[in-house]
């Protein structure tokens, strides 16, 4: 068997952060292998190809990736334009994966990661052993790959959170699966459009995805006439910050999205139900669905339900590794306090790197959306900085790994998920969420003292 330092770094996932990780690792001269479960790069991103991002191209292209792309004649998109998920995949992710060539394997589903010859209980010789990555190919064949380190950028797309307010599926949610969706609908698809046109649809959730669904259903109501209506189901009340940062949001497209959702409610295309924590889904006599709250309230029947209550990480294939995860967010222990929505009602995200992403099991890193566990405040540029730092650490450049600098826009996300009983955080001022963005250096001090924090 090869010595660990002669083995590749295995990156799980050929999405935006996984491919950026590969670009940084290649730039550092490290042997790299990206394992992607789907048949193409950005497979998960393509599943929301119709959704327009609220970040511009200038915020969605990793610097190391751009260095790989530039010599090929790749044309950089207009930095000020807002791509859809499909644009991001076709014009950036796939070209980047194509440059990496054989370093990206498709149809490779990771089913387990462990230390070679050691389960999570065994101490003896553990740190000297390479990782063994178990995978299943598209044709069902099983394989084992030895790795010096593992960077898990598999995201959270595959595990949407359920409708139940206790984090578990509501009673009857699974049996109503034919009427329940966990994705923003693509109303340009005739079959999807027919599913919601002229129907009454419950939208469960309070974030950007819910805003998007409400805005799309409002547009459908305008185009199709009567009968199309959305019922917005909120676990908290409605206050000044319910719709996000609005015109004060330093990601303008995200602020505009919240204003579109607000307009949908004010125009009567959507009605809001507040303080509603779903406990059960029942079938009405006409086969429509009735949502029942923990306090006994029952909504009028709906034809469809769109559940957009967040995403969560799949940790099952990492069960034999010694991970240090926060008991609430399922994020790395050192990162969790920086992104905890129970504390950071503005959704403030501080830049961070290898120190915050490390685990008791040395050489394994959760990056990108997966590193945030259940926290909703992830931005692509945060992930790009994560993997730059991780790649530097794996290359032995600790100084560069700890010199993590990043300028983040104000998130515009107020009233963290942990504050669902309150319409607004009483400590918020009328001026909006956070102060102007600041460039922070991580690993050298308390981020809470930096200029521009919430």
């Amino acid at each position: 068997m090869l010595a660990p330092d002669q083995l590749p770094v295995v990156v799980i996932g050929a999405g935006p952060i996984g491919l950026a990780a590969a670009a940084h690792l290649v730039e550092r001269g490290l042997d790299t292998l990206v394992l992607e479960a789907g048949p193409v790069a950005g497979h998960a991103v393509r599943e929301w190809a119709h959704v327009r991002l609220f970040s511009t191209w200038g915020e969605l292209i990793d610097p190391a990736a751009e260095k790989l792309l530039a010599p090929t004649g790749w044309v950089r998109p207009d930095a000020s334009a807002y791509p859809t998920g499909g644009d991001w995949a076709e014009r950036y992710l796939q070209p980047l994966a194509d440059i990496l060539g054989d370093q990206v394997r498709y149809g490779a589903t990771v089913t387990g990661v462990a230390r070679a010859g050691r389960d999570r209980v065994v101490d003896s010789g553990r740190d000297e052993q390479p990782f063994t990555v178990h995978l299943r190919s598209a044709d069902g064949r099983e394989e084992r790959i030895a790795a010096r380190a593992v960077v898990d950028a598999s995201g959270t797309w595959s595990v949407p959170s359920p409708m139940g307010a206790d984090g578990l599926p509501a009673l009857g949610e699974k049996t109503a699966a034919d009427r329940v969706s966990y994705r923003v609908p693509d109303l340009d698809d005739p079959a999807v459009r027919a599913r919601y046109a002229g129907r009454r649809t419950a939208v469960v959730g309070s974030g950007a995805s819910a805003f998007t669904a409400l805005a799309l259903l409002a547009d459908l109501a305008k185009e199709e006439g009567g009968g199309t209506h959305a019922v917005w189901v909120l676990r908290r009340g409605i206050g000044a910050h319910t719709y996000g940062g609005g015109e004060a949001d330093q990601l303008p497209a995200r602020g505009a999205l919240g204003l579109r959702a607000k307009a949908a409610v004010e125009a009567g295309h959507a009605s809001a139900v507040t303080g509603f924590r779903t406990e059960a889904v029942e079938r009405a006599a006409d086969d429509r669905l009735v949502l029942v709250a923990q306090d006994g309230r029952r909504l009028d029947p709906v034809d469809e339900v769109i559940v957009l209550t967040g995403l969560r990480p799949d940790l099952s294939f990492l069960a034999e590794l010694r991970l240090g995860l926060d008991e609430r967010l399922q994020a790395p222990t050192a990162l969790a306090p920086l992104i905890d929505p129970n504390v950071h009602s503005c959704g403030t995200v501080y830049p961070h790197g290898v120190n915050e992403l490390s685990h008791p099991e040395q050489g394994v890193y959760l990056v990108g959306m997966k590193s945030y566990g259940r926290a909703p405040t992830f931005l692509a540029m945060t992930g790009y900085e994560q993997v730059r730092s991780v790649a530097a650490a794996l290359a032995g450049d600790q100084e560069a790994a700890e010199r993590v600098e990043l300028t983040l826009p104000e998130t515009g996300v107020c009233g963290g998920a942990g504050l669902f009983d309150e319409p607004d955080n009483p400590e918020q001022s009328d001026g909006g969420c956070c102060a102007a963005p600041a460039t922070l250096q991580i690993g050298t001090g308390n981020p809470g003292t930096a200029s521009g924090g919430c």
Side-chain angles (χ1 to χ4, degrees), residues 420-442:
F420 60 82
D421 282 321
E422 301 295 334
D424 287 298
N425 180 354
E427 294 181 3
Q428 289 296 332
S429 69
D430 293 336
C433 280
C434 308
T439 301
L440 308 181
Q441 183 163 318
I442 297 305

Side-chain angles (χ1 to χ4, degrees), residues 231-376:
V231 181
W232 188 18
V233 181
L234 289 154
R235 294 173 183 169
R236 67 182 80 177
I238 291 181
H241 301 300
T242 297
Y243 298 99
E247 295 179 358
D249 197 317
Q250 291 183 27
L251 290 178
R254 179 174 48 197
L257 182 59
L259 294 177
R260 284 185 66 195
K262 182 178 181 181
V265 173
E266 293 177 346
H269 299 304
S271 53
V273 180
T274 60
F276 194 98
R277 301 174 203 165
T278 308
E279 183 176 71
V281 182
E282 298 178 356
R283 292 272 183 177
D286 59 2
D287 203 39
R288 293 198 295 169
L289 302 179
V290 176
L291 303 190
V292 183
Q294 289 177 332
D295 60 9
R297 280 186 293 162
R298 303 168 67 87
L299 294 186
D300 290 338
V302 296
D303 300 287
E304 300 285 343
V305 181
I306 300 174
V307 181
L308 299 168
T309 52
L311 303 164
R312 55 185 63 175
D314 177 6
L315 300 169
S316 61
F317 61 87
L318 304 176
E320 293 307 315
L321 297 178
R322 297 176 176 180
L323 301 181
L325 298 175
D326 179 73
E327 66 274 12
R328 293 165 296 175
L329 297 184
Q330 295 177 299
T333 305
L335 174 60
L338 307 182
I339 61 175
D340 186 352
N342 287 288
V343 177
H344 297 285
S345 60
C346 281
T348 306
V349 180
Y350 297 110
H352 51 273
V354 69
N355 290 338
E356 291 80 11
L357 297 171
S358 294
H359 294 274
E361 192 82 71
Q362 297 298 305
V364 60
Y365 303 96
L366 277 58
V367 298
M369 281 287 293
K370 192 159 189 176
S371 71
Y372 274 46
R374 301 192 185 196

Side-chain angles (χ1 to χ4, degrees), residues 16 19-25 27 60-72 74 92-93 95-97 99-100 384 387:
L19 291 174
H24 283 278
L25 291 165
E27 185 177 53
L60 295 171
I61 296 172
D62 175 77
E66 186 170 6
K67 288 180 184 178
L68 286 180
L69 286 163
T72 69
W74 174 75
Y92 170 64
L93 300 179
L96 178 55
I99 291 173
L100 292 168
Y384 295 156
V387 296

Side-chain angles (χ1 to χ4, degrees), residues 11 19 59 115 118 121 176 190 269 290 311 342 403 407 440:
V11 177
L19 291 174
E59 297 158 338
R115 288 285 187 180
R118 308 288 191 277
V121 176
H269 299 304
V290 176
L311 303 164
N342 287 288
R403 192 186 64 250
T407 299
L440 308 181

